[in-house]
Amino acid sequence: MSAPVDVVRRFCALMAGRDAEALRPLIADNAVYQNVGMPASDGVNAIVENMAAQFAMFPDAYAFEIVNMASDGPVVLTERLDYIQAPDGSKPAVPVMGTFVVGDDGKITRWTDYFDVSLTVKLLQGEDISALVPCSAHP
């Protein structure tokens, strides 16, 4: 069995492929996924469906860059820059904090993302958000 941080790293790496079905093996049947402030997706089928819809909204770009990661047992915290394509074709980064809980079977049982929804709205409206995104350089 893989360590929880390895499961989360693999999951985040798969996001760039924009293939929701590729995520399925890493998600527990009874998992819950939620972008805070939006309704939760309950169960692996709902999560895969949600991700497929997100990938369809952004067909040319979708990737997670892990800036920092910390874990305590089954809980893995990620500071990420998530890249999606803006209307002008650019691929700016949206800062996201994520919590993943990995079960004993090596599958994600809970995934919760916290981010500034208004920042994403600005991006989708074509605003330049580059000055609003923290630097990803490590000290």
Side-chain angles (χ1 to χ4, degrees):
M1 180 182 66
S2 297
V5 292
D6 296 330
V7 172
V8 173
R9 282 188 198 283
R10 190 164 52 252
F11 184 85
C12 290
L14 285 170
M15 296 303 282
R18 296 182 311 278
D19 177 0
E21 284 299 326
L23 303 172
R24 185 181 293 274
L26 298 177
I27 303 170
D29 290 343
N30 63 345
V32 176
Y33 160 60
Q34 185 171 23
N35 284 319
V36 171
M38 299 175 192
S41 294
D42 293 312
V44 66
N45 291 331
I47 295 168
V48 169
E49 183 178 307
N50 181 317
M51 294 314 303
Q54 288 188 48
F55 295 152
M57 282 179 54
F58 307 103
D60 297 318
Y62 207 106
F64 288 0
E65 174 189 342
I66 298 171
V67 177
N68 288 298
M69 182 180 279
S71 69
D72 185 9
V75 179
V76 180
L77 305 177
T78 59
E79 176 188 11
R80 304 188 320 259
L81 294 175
D82 291 6
Y83 295 88
I84 57 176
Q85 186 161 331
D88 67 1
S90 66
K91 297 172 184 157
V94 175
V96 177
M97 295 295 292
T99 301
F100 295 83
V101 179
V102 179
D104 291 339
D105 61 356
K107 293 187 176 192
I108 295 166
T109 61
R110 183 170 67 88
W111 169 24
T112 308
D113 276 344
Y114 306 85
F115 62 97
D116 182 349
V117 174
S118 66
L119 186 64
T120 305
V121 169
K122 289 178 182 185
L123 179 145
L124 294 175
Q125 292 174 342
E127 292 185 40
D128 178 7
I129 64 166
S130 59
L132 306 175
V133 176
C135 176
S136 65
H138 294 277

